[in-house]
Amino acid sequence: MLLRVALEEQAGGLNVTEHFDVLIVGAGISGIGGAYHLTRQCPGKTFVVLEALEDFGGTWLTHKYPGIRSDSDLYTFGYRFKPWVGPPIATADEIRKYMGEVIEENDLAPHIRYRHRIERAAWSSETSLWTIEAVRTDTGERRRFTANFLWMCQGYYRHAEGYTPEWPGMADYQGRIVHPQSWPADLDLAGRKVVLIGSGATAATLLPNIAGECAHVTLLQRSPTYFIPGRNANELADTLRELKIDEAWIHEIVRRKILHDQDAFTRRAVNEPEAVKQELLAGVSAFVGPEVTAQHFTPSYRPWRQRIAFVPDGDIFQAVKAGKASVVTDEIDRFEAGGVRLKSGELLEADVVITATGFDLNVLGDIAFTVDDRPLNFAETVTYRGMMFTGVPNMVWVFGYFRASWTLRSDLVADFVCRLLGHMDAKGARSVAVALRPEDRDMTLSSWIDPENFNPGYLMRGMHLLPKRGDKPEWQHSQDYWREKDDLPLIDLDDAAFVYQGAAPAVEAA
């Protein structure tokens, strides 16, 4: 597979088009993992990773708010191929250090192009190629690439800014409004009254990390979230290290034990929701007592309809118990000059308001896609197992799990992509797309995710942008790692759902 560099005369001068077998979009946890798997499973393939940011890391690069950390353990959020040797819950710096080691140890750096923001991607059935147009964010230079296969690893939300609702009176507020995703380097909270709006993992991380600095911080939540407080340690891993077990073995053993326990917990959350709820609330009550737990930390929904965050050492609850922070459960009526007026009538005075109110979902990087010159609307497609889309050739998207670590699925999808690429070579196929089979064409179509099953706000706000799902396992993203780890490796690539086209022509080097 030779790298082809074609020179084309353009009105603006000489334009260089670089060709690769595979183009990976994004140098976050999925993109770096995909690059690794390509080097191991498809060593003959040429590839490039295009990243819009100035460095690798994705979320762990853009989010710079105090205390930024994972909300799932690194034994499963880490890659299956590289042992994790630190504490289960890791900081952004620790995660980026780990990713940097993957890049260095596997010589991936030459394949990564930073500051390349993709604007358009066009598929041509005539050439069986994707043409990708990107802009260098540092120079404004336009770059063009062609690729046989497009691997979308850019995540599912906009990194440039987070989601902040529009509340009445925000223009009247005389303090500062900050979203954690765009944390200002010059923000000084010392001696300030802070209102922190939100109830999820970001709010739970921020509160204990700023509580000692502020005059006071008030967590304002519309409705509570479930948390799991516990030690930021893994006793099994610590025991195995005391026994001098090899780190690769420790990683695999601990990983399997965590996944086994998570599977049992998830099934219990569905089958025994009330029992699981009481167990979770008891963990919180041990820190703040039953009265505060009942008033501010008892969600109205069953466990796992939204993500449950692990709280290391119960630090958010310790801050509340120590009086450094307080919790108010109410809704916002409006902003005023001096703070936030609640629907109960109470005014929360604030010098700074932090809106930990979630992500702004996007679909496939907000790139303008076309297929044979027709604009592509992903909401009009049907997903194949949350990875491929009807009528969209030679493209796979990594969308991870909500109830398990994102990286678990990025590893599984990487295996699928590499197997699919090898199968295409064996068949001499230039393209592959998924299509509904005759027996699928009358099936019921519905939203990407069943809101009765999982319904976080960012997903509900963007559901109209996402592809449809069918009522058969092949045509939906199950969100069930414990089933997919067995099912995805067994996908029959000659099933009628896969439509292959044409033999690949010889690629000439310019």
Side-chain angles (χ1 to χ4, degrees), residues 181-221:
Q181 197 173 315
S182 307
W183 194 266
D186 65 345
L187 183 62
D188 182 8
L189 298 179
R192 304 291 186 88
K193 296 176 183 176
V194 176
V195 169
L196 172 58
I197 304 172
S199 61
T202 300
T205 300
L206 262 169
L207 187 142
N209 280 281
I210 64 174
E213 180 183 358
C214 306
H216 191 76
V217 55
T218 301
L219 177 67
L220 172 59
Q221 58 180 9

Side-chain angles (χ1 to χ4, degrees), residues 412 481-491:
L412 288 176
Y481 164 76
W482 300 275
R483 188 173 79 189
E484 286 199 327
K485 69 181 177 58
D486 298 322
D487 289 352
L488 295 193
L490 297 178
I491 290 174

